Amino acid sequence: LVLACAVGAAHAHSSAAHASAPESASNAHASAQAARPAHMPFYVATRGSTTIYLFGSLHAGEPADYPPGQPFRQPILDALKASPTVAFELSPDDLIYAPDDVARYGVCAHSCLPKLVPPRMWARIVARMRGNPAGLAAIRRARPWLASMLVETYDAVSAGLQNEYGSEPQIENLHSGTIVGLETLDQQIDTFTGLTLPEQREIVAQDLAQTPAQNVADVRVLHALWRAGDADAIWNWQAANSARLARSKALSERLDDRLLYRRNARFVG
């Protein structure tokens, strides 16, 4: 069994929200990378006759992360060949319906976001969307948890990461066995729709705490740490980043517990 669990920023947002960017956006950076696959975190656990392979995936990446001749390190390729089953956060079937469910539960029939966040926060969102009228029109109708995902998606696009170069589609290209989900789509959606309004506002506030350029720089740092495969460095960076961006320590800790720790406990339950 191969378990592919995403590494990411403090709240590891839904795999239903994707990022894409023009091919040219990442080519300049990719040319500086050596033609070898990303050295993503990878672990092997064996008990008796059962072996589980665990590696840290990234939902969006660059072409250079998965060279055509060898998209993954050899131990990972061997694990994929040896495993009849691979587990993602969501199964491929659930991913097909994820955008519809995100729209159903995260999008209002009217302009609701200005009424769901404080006036000062809404003014900052409008300023962030300056020059992006389509983005502003979309975010107006988003509930705060989805608005946060949209802001993060725009930042990922600006960083040059592309969803088609995320780990999951690259694994799907290679694995001929069964792919299952560690959680169902309903469970993932419930995780976000179950957040209180103060918790949702805290997520948005954290996304707005920095300039877009600073958020893009954070995405690049995370991508570099993931490529290096240093799980301890990723954890230390994430913990420091979460503490720095938290507007409310108590709310931020509640979010980490709900969106990270409880989900991960369910994954391995």
Side-chain angles (χ1 to χ4, degrees), residues 219-241:
V219 172
R220 298 303 327 176
V221 168
L222 175 61
H223 179 256
L225 291 172
W226 171 79
R227 275 196 62 91
D230 190 334
D232 289 336
I234 292 172
W235 171 258
N236 292 334
W237 175 85
Q238 177 177 297
N241 205 46

Side-chain angles (χ1 to χ4, degrees), residues 106-118:
V107 177
C108 304
H110 53 85
S111 179
C112 61
L113 188 61
K115 301 175 183 178
L116 294 174
V117 298

Side-chain angles (χ1 to χ4, degrees), residues 54-205:
L54 174 66
F55 72 93
S57 62
L58 207 62
H59 291 324
E62 298 179 325
D65 295 332
Y66 308 95
Q70 186 175 4
F72 294 96
R73 290 186 286 135
Q74 194 59 48
I76 295 176
L77 292 174
D78 293 342
L80 290 171
K81 185 176 181 180
S83 300
T85 304
V86 170
F88 294 161
E89 287 183 30
L90 290 179
S91 71
D93 288 342
D94 270 349
L95 275 174
I96 293 173
Y97 298 103
D100 291 338
D101 273 20
V102 169
R104 182 178 302 115
Y105 296 105
V107 177
C108 304
H110 53 85
S111 179
C112 61
L113 188 61
K115 301 175 183 178
L116 294 174
V117 298
R120 183 173 295 182
M121 181 178 289
W122 173 244
R124 294 188 67 185
I125 292 172
V126 172
R128 177 66 68 93
M129 294 293 106
R130 187 174 293 117
N132 186 359
L136 180 60
I139 211 168
R140 276 182 177 275
R141 296 177 55 201
R143 299 190 185 280
W145 63 266
L146 178 56
S148 171
M149 290 185 188
L150 293 174
V151 170
E152 292 183 3
T153 297
Y154 294 139
D155 290 340
V157 168
S158 297
L161 301 187
Q162 304 173 58
N163 184 61
E164 55 266 40
Y165 290 103
S167 304
E168 292 85 355
Q170 297 300 314
I171 291 173
E172 284 190 76
N173 290 340
L174 297 174
H175 187 67
S176 58
T178 302
I179 300 178
V180 300
L182 292 169
E183 63 183 350
T184 67
L185 179 56
D186 286 343
Q187 287 174 319
Q188 188 173 96
I189 291 294
D190 285 349
T191 298
F192 295 97
T193 59
L195 296 175
T196 66
L197 185 56
E199 289 169 345
Q200 293 184 55
R201 289 173 173 175
E202 172 67 16
I203 297 179
V204 178

